[in-house]
Amino acid sequence: MRIIVPFTDRDPKSRLTPVLSTTERREFALAMLCDVVDAVEGVGHEPELLVPEPLDFEGPATGDDAPGVGLDADAVERLESLPATVDDRPLTAAVNAALDDGSDRDPVQAVVMADLALATPTALRRLFAAGGDVAIAPGRGGGTNALVVRDPGFSVDYHGASYRDHRRIAAEADLPVAVVDSMRLATDVDEPSDLLEVLLHGDGRARRWLVDAGFEVGSGSDGRVGVRRR
Amino acid sequence: MRIIVPFTDRDPKSRLTPVLSTTERREFALAMLCDVVDAVEGVGHEPELLVPEPLDFEGPATGDDAPGVGLDADAVERLESLPATVDDRPLTAAVNAALDDGSDRDPVQAVVMADLALATPTALRRLFAAGGDVAIAPGRGGGTNALVVRDPGFSVDYHGASYRDHRRIAAEADLPVAVVDSMRLATDVDEPSDLLEVLLHGDGRARRWLVDAGFEVGSGSDGRVGVRRR
C-alpha cells in the first residue's frame, strides 16, 4: 500500500494563530506530521510526503516574536529521509495527480492528512483493513481525514464538505464505500479547541510539544473543560 | 447487561439556545434520546431511563415563540413504555446511586448518554465488547459519553474532564480500563457546530428532526462547512 501524506509549511495551521506564533505553528505542525509518520510506520508502511515545495527544516526567517520550543534533531532527520513529491498546485489537484501517477505502481493507495495528531497504528489498521473500493475516515466538520483508494476511477475533492463529496464521487463511479468510525482519525487539529483532544488523548510528539509549550487541561467553575497556557 | 440512559427535559441542550427555541430543544433532545434507545435496542438490550422527574410528554407550557416541528406518537409511546428511575440529584450522584442499586442484579452495567445522536448498534457493540473492568467511550471535549462498568469498586464523576477523572478513579481502584475509539460515540450533541455532524452522519430521528426544522449543510466561499436554517 502506498501512503501519501500531504503537508505544507506555508503558514500551517493558520486557525491556531490566536494561540500560537508563526514559528510555533510551524513546529507544532511538524510535530503532528512526525506523529502521523510514526503511526503509518507502525503499521509497516513508509509514507510519502506530498509538499508544495521542498521542506526547509532550517525554517524561514519569520522575524516572529516567539521563538518556539524547538524540534528535536531526530525528528527532522527522519522527515528529511522520507520520499517526497513536490507539487505546488492546490491540495485536490496535487493529490489527484499523485494518485494517478501511483496507481500503476500500487493498486492500493491511501491519503492520510498530516494533522491527525491522535492517529495510532491501531486506528490506521482499521482504516486499511476496511472493505470498499474507497474507505473513508471522516473528519469532524465534514472533512475527509484519511482515505484508501483501491480503484483508479475515484478522485478526490477536498474543498467544502469533502466527506459528502467523496461519497457522491464514489457512488457516481459505482464504487462501494466503507466508512471507519474512529474518533482518533476524525480529530484533525485545526482550532484551539482541538488542542484539548491532543492533550487528553495524544501520546506522541505533538502532545509533548504542547506540554513543553506550557499548555495544560483546565476546567472552568462551570465544569466546562478547555486548555490554558502557563 | 443493564443499560442506564440519563435524561432530563429540564431546559435540555441549553447550549443550543442560539439556534433552537425552548420547545425545539426539548423536541430535539427527545429525538436524540429515541435514537439512543433505538441503538441500545438494536444490540438487544432494553435501556432504563434515569430522570430527575417523570417525563411529561405533553410538554410544559413554555409560552415559547416557536412551536417546534412535533414528535411522532410512536416515539412518545415507546419512551413512555421504558422502565425509568426517578432521582432528582445531580447527574453524578444519581448515576452512582443507580449503579450501586443495580450491581447485585446485574454484574455488568453501562451508562450511555442521551445525546449521542450518531450512536449505532455497531458502535455500541464495540463498546460493550471491549475488555476492561471499565470500558470508556470518551466524548469530544473531555467528557465520558458512554461507559461499561464490570466492577462495583468503580464510581463516576461527570464534573469537568470526566474522561481523565474516570481513568484516574479506575487506576486508583486497580481496575483495567479499555477505551473505545469511536467518532460516533465521541459525538455528543451540545453545540450548534455539532448539528453538522448529525446532518452528515446521522440516520435516525434526530437527523430527520433537524431536516424537518429546516437545517441543512452549507459551505462558505472559504470552503468551511457549517449548518444553516432555511
Side-chain angles (χ1 to χ4, degrees), chain B residues 52-68:
Chain B
E53 62 200 353
L55 291 179
D56 171 14
F57 290 100
E58 299 303 310
T62 60
D64 201 344
D65 47 352

Side-chain angles (χ1 to χ4, degrees), chain A residues 126-136 150 176-179:
Chain A
R126 283 178 55 214
L127 172 69
F128 298 160
D133 286 332
V134 178
I136 302 179
R150 296 191 176 83
V177 172
V179 178

